[in-house]
Amino acid sequence: MQNNVRDLRTERGFSQAELGAALGVSRQTINSIETERYTPSLPLALSIARFFKTSVEEVFHANGTP
């Protein structure tokens, strides 16, 4: 699943560790999401979207869909 987590994070000036701490997950989890090696659970996806004050659909999209 493709996502915009890295773009959203860097636009707002957060490190992976800072975002992970804010969401209650490790820096490695954030890295795995950003590199699309890990698809987050629904609760985590919702938390990420809420953190960035956007919708889940704006953060995550099916492969091949911008």
Side-chain angles (χ1 to χ4, degrees), residues 18-54:
E18 291 169 329
L19 178 58
L23 297 171
V25 298
S26 69
R27 179 202 62 79
Q28 291 87 347
T29 297
I30 300 301
N31 180 271
S32 293
I33 292 169
E34 289 182 354
T35 57
E36 300 172 2
R37 289 181 289 143
Y38 172 71
T39 300
S41 64
L42 181 56
L44 180 53
L46 290 168
S47 293
I48 292 168
R50 280 191 210 112
F51 181 84
F52 291 119
K53 296 182 171 90
T54 190

